[in-house]
Amino acid sequence: MQAVTNLVTGASSGPQYLTGDKPAIDAFIAKFDVFLFDCDGVLWSGDHLFPLIPETIAHLRSLSKRLIFVTNNSTKSRADYAKKFHTMGIPCSEEEVFGSSYSAAIYISRIMRLEPPKNRVYVLGESGVEQELASESIPFCGGTDPLLRREMLPEDFKRIADGSLLDDDVAIVLTGLDYHPSYLKYALGMAYLRRGAHFLATNTDSTLPSAGTLFPGAGATSAPLVTASGKQPLALGKPGQAMMEAIEGKFAFERARACMVGDRLDTDIRFGIEGGLGGTLCVLTGVSRKEEFLGKGRGVVPSAYVDSLGDLLG
Amino acid sequence: MQAVTNLVTGASSGPQYLTGDKPAIDAFIAKFDVFLFDCDGVLWSGDHLFPLIPETIAHLRSLSKRLIFVTNNSTKSRADYAKKFHTMGIPCSEEEVFGSSYSAAIYISRIMRLEPPKNRVYVLGESGVEQELASESIPFCGGTDPLLRREMLPEDFKRIADGSLLDDDVAIVLTGLDYHPSYLKYALGMAYLRRGAHFLATNTDSTLPSAGTLFPGAGATSAPLVTASGKQPLALGKPGQAMMEAIEGKFAFERARACMVGDRLDTDIRFGIEGGLGGTLCVLTGVSRKEEFLGKGRGVVPSAYVDSLGDLLG
């Protein structure tokens, strides 16, 4: 291990490699009361569960650690996500899940607090976004509306230009990962932004890990709106600290006694470091490689890393 | 008119306003043998022809000017475009049209010259791209293939990850304006780019003028691939000078006696200035406003401007 000063974490040495080092693992775990977990790339990749995950989660629960599953996945609501945990054989309550769609809904309902009737949200995303908006009683349109999953017709250009296809109550454009993009949906989103709608994103991850490789993420499927409007959305997912504040507000924990566990340096680990958490743990089963934080010229550096989350069992 | 030095064009005064000034119009026209025209935003907006366009084109032809219609619109082939001119009541031959899809096809067949069988092009775009690739005998896939206009299925993630849904002969990803984007198409394009395919774009216009307003352009519909791959495409449309060289190679004209006419400072006018043409004329019927090139802190500045192309009739 290199004894260099770590400018990002403030630690005086490089990240600690925990895999296979039982005493170091036990000491690391003992430092924290709360573990914030990223899910995709940490617990599973798509529908593929990584080895020893249920056992590792059960082990941490047996040590009375509080577990919070923080995900930028906007396509699922907290309820959907808790179901996925059960399907995967990991007991989990809906209350332990904190997703970027929920984070966005909280931001809209409790921070923005727009007055009706001009408070509708135009959604570019899947049902997870819609469910969380509904849970906060926020009116919305777009999203999974089957009427929008069609070709752009010549009259649509005219009806968007003259406003007759637009909803005058839309005040916010909210983008998440959209598996059903269409030119019509992008054209509508662009028109609302040109009319002055607020631009929010559940998250802006450029890629989505699945099936052992990478696919376009929410930042990719919302990129046409960014390019076409020339505006950047406010992102309500990791690594944005609006999400950390919402999590802390809900769960009331001591940041110094919390550890963020994730596979992405630029979202998960950065989220923990910028949030002033007591520690960050990078797992190498997802996007980031150890070469990115070891050696010279490093950017975001975790406190510790393991090859796989199951290594925490020792 | 402001007597300021124009750093971009090198002219010693600001742009000349020609509307309503018959002697200035005649003198301006007399300086050129060749006029390169942008089309959308200059001749028409979508299907709306601007006033006096056929008459203005006929007037320039009567003065023996050579006319070249240079368009970044990638959805139409040269043949399609010539048909649109006829529909609009403007006589025009296919040979007078130079589109960004044709420019890309020329670049692939005559500059890149990839050896078969690994020379197939994965197209994210419409039939104009396909027709021009076919005209240069370049093999392609993707594009308007109806099999790709469907939902991304769970097995698609696996089949893209294991390569079974990919075509091993693809060596180039070429993006143009796509009115039928889908997650599957973006995921395939991303996979080819991750395998090392060359990344080309017919053009990267962020917006598309139509029906008097702006819609997402080719740069917007291809943005998911840029975001997801972290790579930038080589653009074969305006303002890229690869297109100017191809036009000059085909039409053999003297640049000092040529004028670029367009509505966008950042594509059309920049294209003419960087190409060292004798002049540039901005028309105010499209994207750019005169405030962008008049007054202080100006960027790209045309030699002259008119409210509408029809003003050239004087």
Side-chain angles (χ1 to χ4, degrees):
Chain A
M1 184 159 312
Q2 298 168 312
V4 290
T5 301
N6 181 331
L7 295 176
V8 177
T9 63
S12 60
S13 67
Q16 199 179 4
Y17 180 51
L18 299 180
T19 295
D21 187 344
K22 180 108 178 72
I25 291 167
D26 291 345
F28 186 84
I29 292 174
K31 286 195 283 184
F32 307 106
D33 303 324
V34 177
F35 285 85
L36 277 61
F37 284 95
D38 175 47
C39 306
D40 280 308
V42 173
L43 309 177
W44 55 64
S45 173
D47 288 329
H48 168 69
L49 187 68
F50 295 133
L52 299 175
I53 296 300
E55 296 83 349
T56 306
I57 296 297
H59 173 61
L60 293 170
R61 287 196 197 279
S62 75
L63 297 171
S64 301
K65 305 299 180 185
R66 175 155 215 174
L67 309 184
I68 305 169
F69 301 99
V70 182
T71 173
N72 272 4
N73 183 329
S74 64
T75 63
K76 292 185 168 67
S77 66
R78 287 165 297 153
D80 291 334
Y81 231 68
K83 267 184 226 153
K84 169 151 188 171
F85 273 80
H86 289 289
T87 308
M88 290 296 203
I90 308 170
C92 167
S93 78
E94 185 177 328
E95 288 302 302
E96 289 176 312
V97 177
F98 204 95
S100 62
S101 289
Y102 181 58
S103 185
I106 295 287
Y107 181 83
I108 292 167
S109 66
R110 305 187 193 180
I111 312 282
M112 294 182 76
R113 305 171 66 92
L114 300 181
E115 287 295 319
K118 191 148 179 90
N119 64 341
R120 190 160 294 155
V121 178
Y122 174 76
V123 176
L124 196 80
E126 299 291 338
S127 70
V129 180
E130 296 175 326
Q131 288 176 61
E132 298 296 12
L133 290 175
S135 79
E136 291 288 312
S137 304
I138 302 163
F140 61 87
C141 60
T144 63
D145 184 346
L147 295 179
L148 296 186
R149 292 186 183 171
R150 63 170 175 85
E151 239 180 293
M152 182 90 168
L153 303 171
E155 56 262 39
D156 292 325
F157 285 94
K158 289 174 192 143
R159 294 189 58 207
I160 288 174
D162 70 20
S164 63
L165 204 62
L166 302 177
D167 182 327
D168 286 336
D169 292 340
V170 167
I172 295 169
V173 171
L174 171 61
T175 64
L177 180 59
D178 192 346
Y179 290 127
H180 305 80
S182 75
Y183 191 84
L184 176 62
K185 286 160 78 170
Y186 288 135
L188 289 168
M190 182 183 180
Y192 289 125
L193 291 175
R194 284 173 57 83
R195 285 184 159 204
H198 299 271
F199 192 9
L200 306 181
T202 59
N203 67 303
T204 52
D205 294 74
S206 56
T207 59
L208 171 77
S210 186
T213 186
L214 296 177
F215 290 85
T221 62
S222 62
L225 284 188
V226 176
T227 300
S229 71
K231 295 174 185 166
Q232 288 289 341
L234 173 68
L236 278 309
K238 297 173 286 180
Q241 290 301 312
M243 191 186 211
M244 185 68 86
E245 283 159 29
I247 295 171
E248 188 187 35
K250 175 166 177 174
F251 296 99
F253 59 85
E254 193 187 341
R255 293 196 186 199
R257 297 281 301 165
C259 177
M260 177 72 209
V261 184
D263 69 307
R264 290 186 182 219
L265 297 172
D266 60 352
T267 49
D268 304 320
I269 303 306
R270 195 173 142 209
F271 181 65
I273 292 171
E274 292 184 351
L277 299 192
T280 54
L281 177 67
C282 185
V283 299
L284 300 175
T285 44
V287 172
S288 296
R289 307 271 78 92
K290 66 184 172 190
E291 289 72 22
E292 294 171 49
F293 55 76
L294 297 177
K296 290 183 184 171
R298 303 161 309 157
V300 177
V301 180
S303 329
Y305 68 105
V306 285
D307 294 341
S308 160
L309 187 65
D311 296 348
L312 287 187
L313 284 176
Chain B
M1 183 159 311
Q2 297 168 313
V4 291
T5 301
N6 181 332
L7 295 175
V8 177
T9 63
S12 61
S13 67
Q16 200 178 2
Y17 180 50
L18 301 180
T19 295
D21 186 344
K22 181 111 179 70
I25 290 168
D26 291 344
F28 186 82
I29 291 175
K31 285 195 283 183
F32 307 107
D33 303 323
V34 177
F35 284 86
L36 277 62
F37 283 95
D38 176 46
C39 306
D40 280 308
V42 174
L43 308 178
W44 54 65
S45 175
D47 289 326
H48 169 68
L49 186 68
F50 295 132
L52 298 174
I53 295 302
E55 295 82 352
T56 307
I57 296 297
H59 174 60
L60 292 170
R61 287 196 197 281
S62 75
L63 298 171
S64 301
K65 306 299 180 185
R66 174 155 217 175
L67 309 184
I68 306 169
F69 300 99
V70 182
T71 172
N72 271 5
N73 184 330
S74 64
T75 63
K76 292 186 167 65
S77 66
R78 288 165 297 152
D80 291 335
Y81 232 68
K83 266 182 228 154
K84 170 151 188 171
F85 274 80
H86 289 290
T87 307
M88 289 297 202
I90 309 171
C92 166
S93 79
E94 185 177 329
E95 288 303 303
E96 289 178 311
V97 178
F98 205 96
S100 62
S101 290
Y102 181 58
S103 185
I106 294 286
Y107 182 84
I108 292 168
S109 65
R110 306 188 192 179
I111 312 282
M112 295 182 75
R113 305 170 67 92
L114 300 182
E115 287 295 319
K118 194 153 175 83
N119 65 339
R120 190 161 293 156
V121 178
Y122 174 76
V123 176
L124 196 80
E126 299 291 338
S127 70
V129 181
E130 296 174 326
Q131 289 177 60
E132 297 295 12
L133 290 174
S135 78
E136 291 287 311
S137 305
I138 302 164
F140 62 86
C141 61
T144 62
D145 185 346
L147 295 178
L148 297 186
R149 292 186 183 172
R150 63 170 175 85
E151 241 181 291
M152 182 91 168
L153 303 171
E155 56 262 38
D156 292 325
F157 286 95
K158 289 174 192 142
R159 293 188 60 208
I160 288 175
D162 70 21
S164 63
L165 204 61
L166 302 178
D167 182 328
D168 286 336
D169 291 340
V170 167
I172 296 169
V173 171
L174 171 60
T175 63
L177 180 59
D178 192 347
Y179 289 126
H180 304 81
S182 75
Y183 192 85
L184 176 61
K185 288 162 78 171
Y186 288 134
L188 288 168
M190 181 183 180
Y192 289 124
L193 291 175
R194 284 175 57 83
R195 284 182 161 204
H198 298 272
F199 192 9
L200 306 182
T202 58
N203 67 305
T204 52
D205 294 74
S206 56
T207 57
L208 171 78
S210 186
T213 185
L214 295 176
F215 290 86
T221 62
S222 63
L225 285 187
V226 176
T227 300
S229 71
K231 294 173 185 167
Q232 287 289 341
L234 173 67
L236 279 308
K238 296 172 287 181
Q241 289 301 314
M243 192 186 211
M244 185 67 85
E245 283 159 29
I247 295 171
E248 188 187 36
K250 176 166 177 173
F251 295 99
F253 59 85
E254 194 187 342
R255 292 196 186 198
R257 297 281 302 166
C259 176
M260 178 71 209
V261 183
D263 68 307
R264 288 187 183 219
L265 297 172
D266 60 352
T267 51
D268 304 319
I269 303 305
R270 196 173 142 208
F271 181 64
I273 292 171
E274 293 184 351
L277 299 192
T280 54
L281 176 67
C282 186
V283 299
L284 299 176
T285 44
V287 171
S288 296
R289 306 270 78 91
K290 65 183 172 189
E291 289 71 23
E292 295 170 50
F293 55 76
L294 297 177
K296 290 185 183 170
R298 303 162 308 159
V300 177
V301 180
S303 329
Y305 68 106
V306 284
D307 294 341
S308 162
L309 188 64
D311 295 347
L312 288 187
L313 283 177

